[in-house]
Amino acid sequence: MNHFDYKAETLHCEEVSIKDIAAQVGTPFYLYSKATLSRHFQAFDGSFSVPHITCFATKACSNIAILNLFGSMGGGADIVSGGELFRALQAGIDPKKIVYSGVGKTRDELRYGLESGILMFNVESEQELEALQEVAAALGVQAPVSFRVNPDVDPKTHAYISTGLAKNKFGVPIHEALTVYKRAAAMANINVVGVSCHIGSQLTEVAPFVESLAKVKNFIGRLKEAGCTVKYLDLGGGLGITYNEEEPPAPKEYAKALEDELGALGCTLILEPGRVIVGNAGILVTSVLYTKQGGKKFTIVDAGMNDLARPSLYDAFHAILPVEDRGQGLEKGDVVGPICETGDFLARDKEVPVSRPNDLLAVMSAGAYGFTMSSNYNSRPRVPEILVDGDRFHIIRRRETLDMLIAGEMIPK
Ligand code: LLP
């Protein structure tokens, strides 16, 4: 459920007309509903009955206003870079609820995590473990560690976002992990606290989650026999959403399947949901510049692949709705941006609203991996982010200016 609905033929976000926002801030812009964000966070977090921490996957939507909202609801953060750690801390997230994932953490980033006192590092290789031991020793502290194990489970999702297969770069193969744990346990500045696992994103079935949990559970049994403490079990993120006709399990169903499989393991669960919380809580609003009939019908809008990369990168579907529904109907064609590449499209060969110049279009389900994957390609300033709360809206990130495009650049003398 979300809070984007038509009222008197005009699309609203909660109580605010999207047309009014566009008139005030210009287009394009990302728009989020606070009511939807809160509802989704609560629906997810409230579905688990065992002790757990919901560490929102910062990469999905990293604006500090949004991280702050989840923090105020008891949430933590899953981070994958020093930049995300900085954001999470600036947003007021409790460091003791921050988990640090990723295959390529630099020594500077490891140090920053240690100095910030985060809950744990999800270590993905033996060399990373050695680096962490060195950095922790230099600081004279203990590094809390869980290893990300790779269970070799097929998440049945897009190849680019599958992470739990043996052929993917992620984690330590589960059958080799015991040796690595034993090595870690013997290191002076490493404190083994858990096990983590994340098999992929936009999963629309519970079976792969359960299959991977079964493997991890079995592994935890062996770890305990070997005398390792497993305080935290991090199950990653990955629960999918409806973009089109997908029917992913509801958070309650997902939580129940996991808890049933978990049994009485006695660990605190860490969950790293991203998309399921923010995906359908945000949209991208764009204006029609021109239309033209070439080999097919093209609707040219002021947002492009630099603003929303998902259609170009994954051939992802995002529904496109007219902000003002005057009964214009649909026609088959492409909605394309101003970028100089044929791969620049928001919809390709789809039924899209019949449009004319200056019409506003809403690109739906863009809250996850929308703004965060945007870039300045073609020297286009990044667009603002707007948060609606009831009958008011707040600019939570300003539109970039032309000066910001070249800030930091210089011509050698
Ligand atoms: N935890 C880890 C370690 C991850 O790598 C990810 C996502 C998540 C949690 C959150 O997954 P979620 O709950 O959002 O599925 N850019 C792609 C998605 C990449 C996902 C990367 N990892 C897209 O736009 O579909």
Side-chain angles (χ1 to χ4, degrees), residues 133-307:
Q133 159 60 32
E134 263 174 50
V135 176
L139 291 175
V141 298
Q142 291 281 310
V145 162
S146 103
F147 285 93
R148 175 167 176 182
V149 295
N150 184 326
D152 194 19
V153 166
D154 185 358
K156 302 195 184 81
T157 182
H158 192 288
Y160 286 11
I161 54 177
S162 293
T163 54
L165 284 165
K167 65 179 178 188
N168 301 139
K169 69 177 174 182
F170 297 98
V172 177
I174 200 162
H175 52 88
E176 292 169 19
L178 192 58
T179 320
V180 186
Y181 267 93
K182 286 183 182 161
R183 221 187 129 200
M187 288 181 163
N189 298 80
I190 298 292
N191 183 18
V192 173
V193 295
V195 177
S196 76
C197 180
H198 168 80
I199 58 172
S201 194
Q202 182 56 13
L203 273 71
T204 52
E205 295 169 30
V206 288
F209 289 117
V210 174
E211 188 187 338
S212 104
L213 174 54
K215 289 191 173 183
V216 173
K217 196 175 124 180
N218 180 287
F219 175 67
I220 292 179
R222 291 166 56 211
L223 270 183
K224 285 186 175 166
E225 277 166 32
C228 291
T229 344
V230 185
K231 196 165 167 205
Y232 300 108
L233 169 54
D234 182 340
L235 292 175
L239 185 57
I241 62 167
T242 302
Y243 285 98
N244 192 10
E245 285 167 347
E246 304 91 335
E247 289 178 357
K252 268 205 162 58
E253 201 185 318
Y254 163 81
K256 180 166 188 317
L258 294 182
E259 289 185 351
D260 285 352
E261 180 61 39
L262 204 58
L265 207 54
C267 313
T268 295
L269 271 192
I270 307 281
L271 300 146
E272 303 174 353
R275 189 186 321 259
V276 67
I277 294 181
V278 293
N280 279 319
I283 67 173
L284 172 66
V285 180
T286 181
S287 294
V288 175
L289 296 171
Y290 313 107
T291 65
K292 70 176 176 184
Q293 183 73 50
K296 53 181 163 175
K297 184 68 185 275
F298 293 103
T299 302
I300 302 157
V301 298
D302 63 0
M305 67 188 280
N306 71 298
D307 302 304

Side-chain angles (χ1 to χ4, degrees), residues 336-356:
V336 301
I339 302 276
C340 301
E341 295 199 23
T342 299
D344 174 31
F345 57 87
L346 300 177
R348 193 167 56 170
D349 298 323
K350 296 281 166 4
E351 293 291 326
V352 296
V354 175
S355 299
R356 52 192 191 207

Side-chain angles (χ1 to χ4, degrees), residues 2 37 47 49 95 113 124 171-172 212 215 231 249 264 289 339 347 354 366 368 393 399 402:
N2 61 54
L37 292 166
S47 291
S49 47
E124 302 215 17
V172 177
S212 104
K215 289 191 173 183
K231 196 165 167 205
L289 296 171
I339 302 276
V354 175
F393 73 87
R399 188 181 302 283
L402 294 178

